[in-house]
Amino acid sequence: QAATLLTGHPQRIFIGREGELSRLQSCLAEVLRGERQLCFIRGEPGIGKTTLVDAFIEQLSPSLSVWQG
């Protein structure tokens, strides 16, 4: 599997999360069709939750507003 360095985070490597990214993209597609969505990213410390969210946000159009907390 190819590794992708995240822009702005040169020390982070993103590997093998295509399925998770696809689920987030599906939720976004629902939002863009007018359906409310709430996504939770959960897991053990250090498994890449923040890296996953950063990768998802980086591929979004700049015209979209993203709230995370």
Side-chain angles (χ1 to χ4, degrees):
Q1 295 177 351
T4 303
L5 289 177
L6 297 177
T7 305
H9 301 287
Q11 72 279 14
R12 292 185 183 177
I13 297 178
F14 189 71
I15 300 174
R17 296 297 184 144
E18 291 80 16
E20 291 86 348
L21 276 176
S22 178
R23 283 185 228 132
L24 290 172
Q25 291 164 345
S26 294
C27 285
L28 176 61
E30 293 292 324
V31 167
L32 296 175
R33 286 192 289 271
E35 299 292 326
R36 293 183 188 125
Q37 297 289 307
L38 180 63
C39 298
F40 291 96
I41 310 298
R42 62 183 180 90
E44 298 296 321
I47 65 167
K49 298 177 298 292
T50 300
T51 302
L52 172 65
V53 171
D54 288 346
F56 175 68
I57 290 172
E58 284 182 13
Q59 68 184 12
L60 296 178
S61 167
S63 65
L64 294 174
S65 296
V66 177
W67 296 7
Q68 68 185 86

